[in-house]
Amino acid sequence: MFTSLLALVAILPAFVKAQSPIWGQCGGKLSLLASTMNAPYSLRHLQAKDGFLAGPTTCASGSTCTVSNPYYSQCLPSSAGGGGGGTTTVGTTTTPTTTIGTTTASAPTGSQTPDAGNPYLGHNIYLTPFYAAEVTAAAANITDATTKAKALSVAKIPTFTWFDTVAKVPDLGTYLADASAQGKSSGTPMIVQIIVYDLPDRDCAAAASNGEFSIANNGQANYFNYIDQLVAQIQKFPDVRVVAIIEPDSLANLVTNLSVQKCANAQTTYLACVTYAIQQLNKLGNVYSYLDAGHAGWLGWPANLSPAAQLFTSLYKNAGSPSFVRGLATNVANYNALQAATPDPITQGNPNYDEIHYINALGPVLSSAGFPAHFIVDQGRSGVQNIRQQWGDWCNVKGSGFGQRPTINTGFSAIDAVVWAKPGGECDGTSNSSAARFDFHCALADADQPAPEAGTWFQEFFVTLVTKANPPL
Ligand code: BGC
């Protein structure tokens, strides 16, 4: 087999020369395992030789090949100033800020005593220039004028910024400096919203978002260093408040997926890493943390509520009950309604068929166990309901629309804010079955395809989010 491969390698240069279209792949790793498992040999498998893509490495004119992550380089529009993680230069121009509801008193940040109430009160939310650049570049490629205008308006809606590799951490310093300047000039302090997302053996029950660190290879120490670097950036700007979502899916996997070997193996390390993250961030005095808590269709099943509450509470108490841990984030990167008009048929059997039912069921259990039961809820891609074939489908759900806008006027006292945590248009996972991080969910009938690597731009999906937004953009 090795000899046959060598013989065929000679034909590669012809393909290597082809250009990748805008938004297409121009470099990155493919899975050797997937490639060698399959026969007969196809070009796709040849491309997987050595684990690196041997496809086009150059981009169509008007776009530039930009490294998004170790798995994927993408042709991004040159005019938009990039958009690839870690390599993007953000301008020094002042980005417009936005409020997400009526604000009242403003508390000073940088204190050692957290606000008693909603940390979003009295602040404006920083618009990350990275997402604004992605959206602006995407809009430039939409021809229909109405859709283009709607797409552009998304750049003014605050989303969280995911720090999914250590290489991106310096960007946080840029954003905080920018936010600090904006806060000073407007007189209203700013919030920068971040997602801490770099655990070793990340995404232990799936493949699409496997990360850069592995437990077997110094992962915990690498993670502690990642947290230290985040802390070093944040402590330079005590006047800016940070709201952090801690490690999507990690603790939920420890509640329900310990039967998965990779999760069982990761349990101790996840707990040590999340504990370190909340303790170190807590020392800063300006970071309010929400631990990720899955969603209604995961920890919201009645049998999971109590084990989930126990895990959150024991982790919190063992960490010394850090006072700036404000509560939990739900539905991050998922598609559930906050309050469904009627239960989606796929939720059958679970009385907690939407996020508010889940929160109302979990909150009292948390409170009685001594955990702060405040919530933020991602509604970024929840505009269209009843489009999944199964509740467990999470990858690029076809027909999704942008959802309720971020607000602190949530209508529910337990919910501090409706947020957009997943930047709409960034992919959930590749549908390429030869890719190292291929997850079968991304090739299901209700998953939009062809889809690029997790975290990279998915233009067609974005356009659908825009056109199907509910409420409309
Ligand atoms: C990806 C990350 C990305 C995030 C936000 C996750 O699914 O794994 O790389 O930053 O989504 O788009």
Side-chain angles (χ1 to χ4, degrees), residues 55-369:
T57 52
T58 55
C59 294
S61 104
S63 61
T64 311
C65 188
T66 311
V67 177
S68 301
N69 58 47
Y71 300 91
Y72 204 75
S73 299
Q74 191 174 30
C75 296
L76 302 175
S78 311
S79 52
T87 57
T88 307
T89 319
V90 293
T92 48
T93 50
T94 307
T95 323
T97 62
T98 183
T99 52
I100 58 166
T102 38
T103 57
T104 52
S106 139
T109 52
S111 87
Q112 287 311 309
T113 311
D115 286 4
N118 186 344
Y120 279 91
L121 280 176
H123 289 70
N124 285 333
I125 307 203
Y126 180 67
L127 291 168
T128 308
F130 179 76
Y131 185 61
E134 284 183 317
V135 165
T136 310
N141 285 284
I142 296 173
T143 40
D144 177 71
T146 312
T147 312
K148 188 196 278 267
K150 287 181 176 179
L152 272 177
S153 71
V154 175
K156 303 237 161 59
I157 300 170
T159 64
F160 279 68
T161 302
W162 294 57
F163 289 91
D164 59 339
T165 59
V166 70
K168 288 186 185 172
V169 173
D171 292 348
L172 179 58
T174 311
Y175 302 159
L176 292 166
D178 204 9
S180 171
Q182 288 175 24
K184 283 184 185 124
S185 76
S186 73
T188 303
M190 301 293 293
I191 283 176
V192 171
Q193 304 183 117
I194 67 167
I195 302 208
V196 177
Y197 193 53
D198 208 9
L199 281 176
D201 286 14
R202 192 175 70 193
D203 207 14
C204 62
S209 285
N210 287 175
E212 62 183 344
F213 299 145
S214 76
I215 292 170
N217 188 17
N218 214 29
Q220 183 167 314
N222 288 338
Y223 187 81
F224 282 20
N225 170 57
Y226 158 81
I227 295 295
D228 292 346
Q229 291 196 34
L230 285 172
V231 165
Q233 296 296 345
I234 297 168
Q235 70 188 2
K236 291 191 277 184
F237 301 97
D239 58 321
V240 180
R241 179 167 291 187
V242 172
V243 169
I245 294 175
I246 308 297
E247 296 295 347
D249 297 352
S250 60
L251 299 179
N253 272 325
L254 299 189
V255 176
T256 67
N257 285 328
L258 288 178
S259 56
V260 177
Q261 186 55 47
K262 192 174 173 189
C263 294
N265 184 53
Q267 184 178 25
T268 317
T269 310
Y270 276 15
L271 293 173
C273 288
V274 170
T275 300
Y276 188 77
I278 57 177
Q279 286 178 332
Q280 297 308 308
L281 293 171
N282 198 67
K283 288 183 191 156
L284 292 165
N286 59 331
V287 183
Y288 289 74
S289 295
Y290 294 84
L291 300 175
D292 184 83
H295 60 90
W298 189 349
L299 301 184
W301 289 89
N304 294 336
L305 291 169
S306 178
Q310 275 170 25
L311 179 63
F312 293 126
T313 309
S314 64
L315 177 121
Y316 171 74
K317 289 190 172 165
N318 289 338
S321 305
S323 54
F324 284 84
V325 171
R326 172 73 183 167
L328 300 175
T330 80
N331 201 45
V332 170
N334 209 273
Y335 297 84
N336 297 335
L338 171 55
Q339 192 170 29
T342 54
D344 184 331
I346 57 170
T347 67
Q348 206 190 352
N350 186 349
N352 303 317
Y353 57 82
D354 58 16
E355 293 305 300
I356 191 58
H357 280 84
Y358 169 39
I359 286 166
N360 284 339
L362 182 63
V365 193
L366 288 170
S367 294
S368 61

Side-chain angles (χ1 to χ4, degrees), residues 295 331-336 378 381-382 388 391 393-394:
H295 60 90
N331 201 45
V332 170
N334 209 273
Y335 297 84
N336 297 335
D378 188 1
R381 306 186 302 177
S382 297
R388 286 171 287 182
W391 208 356
D393 296 354
W394 49 263

